[in-house]
Amino acid sequence: MGGQFAKPRSSPFEEKDGVKLTNYRGDAVNGYAFDEKSRIPDPHRMIRGYTQSVATLNLLRAFATGEYAAMRRVTEWNLDFAEQRDKYKELANRVDEALGFMAACGLTADHPLMTITEFWTSHECLLLPYEQALTREDSTSGLYCDCSAHMLWVGERTRQLDGAHVEFLRGVTNPIGIKASEKMDPNELIKLIDILNPQNKPGRITVITRMGAENLRLKLPHLIRAVRESGQIVTWVTDPMHGNAIKAPVDSGRAPLMQ
């Protein structure tokens, strides 16, 4: 599950009808309303963002472990499917058939695997004071983990090779995502991966392509080829918020190049 209360901006200012104000940078920084008071950065917003995130995660944990995710309740998961009722009912019936088959094989509906689920969280590593405040040292291994999320990613505006964000992510053990747009240079991507994953550990790096369908065929093959030739191990996905659905991860050593 991905989300963020802070947003990077290409320009520090926004102008309307001749009035120029500091840009809106997300609720963890300032307000959306176009007035001078709302646009003043307020560090207390990070605390409010944290408490709201904690409340949300606690609710999700209650659902995930309280049999709300039980497969036998699939026919009740239709609150948001009113417009696709027939299609959803067909899917639910297929799930019921699959459950019947698994029950015949001994995996009954009351098995723990069928009643609970796990979820993981992710957001961009943007506000370093927030991330640093939630970073902890593992007393058994001596390694550091950023407890603000399971997976963190570095974005287009924060992936400078000698920048503070990359330096911070280099020091934590979380899985790391790298946003790659059509502006990403293959050589820069190789250097960035090497900084964040010098031991070439599988699962450490996910390259999240965000370049739109029109650029995907032209730009992505060069990035895949460069990573493959370097021998680096990464997972490739596309950003679902940019007109593409997340695809199945591919091993960079066997990823087919687009023709």
Side-chain angles (χ1 to χ4, degrees), residues 140-202:
T140 58
S141 66
L143 301 176
Y144 288 89
C145 180
D146 186 345
C147 300
S148 70
H150 295 97
M151 175 181 173
L152 302 165
W153 76 74
V154 62
E156 181 78 18
R157 301 170 184 85
T158 54
R159 56 176 171 79
Q160 295 84 3
L161 298 178
D162 59 350
H165 293 82
V166 172
E167 176 63 18
F168 172 80
L169 290 173
R170 185 180 68 85
V172 297
T173 57
N174 304 62
I176 302 299
I178 299 173
K179 286 286 188 74
S181 73
E182 69 277 5
K183 300 176 184 178
M184 173 69 82
D185 179 78
N187 292 326
E188 182 181 358
L189 177 59
I190 295 303
K191 293 178 182 178
L192 186 56
I193 295 173
D194 189 54
I195 292 173
L196 295 175
N197 191 25
Q199 298 178 341
N200 205 19
K201 182 179 178 181

Side-chain angles (χ1 to χ4, degrees), residues 13 41 76 79 111 118 141-142 147 152 189 256:
F13 299 103
E76 300 175 26
L79 298 179
H111 191 281
E118 293 180 298
S141 66
C147 300
L152 302 165
L189 177 59

Side-chain angles (χ1 to χ4, degrees), residues 11-63:
S11 172
F13 299 103
E14 179 183 6
E15 186 171 349
K16 291 182 180 180
D17 301 324
V19 179
K20 188 176 183 180
L21 297 176
T22 300
N23 220 329
Y24 169 64
R25 295 181 175 272
D27 287 349
V29 179
N30 56 9
Y32 180 75
F34 191 77
D35 59 70
E36 187 173 358
K37 182 179 180 180
S38 295
R39 296 301 173 88
I40 297 176
D42 180 3
H44 290 91
R45 285 177 168 270
M46 287 190 286
I47 298 177
R48 291 200 297 272
Y50 168 78
T51 56
Q52 184 169 334
S53 296
V54 169
T56 302
L57 289 175
N58 285 338
L59 178 63
L60 290 173
R61 290 188 185 102
F63 282 152

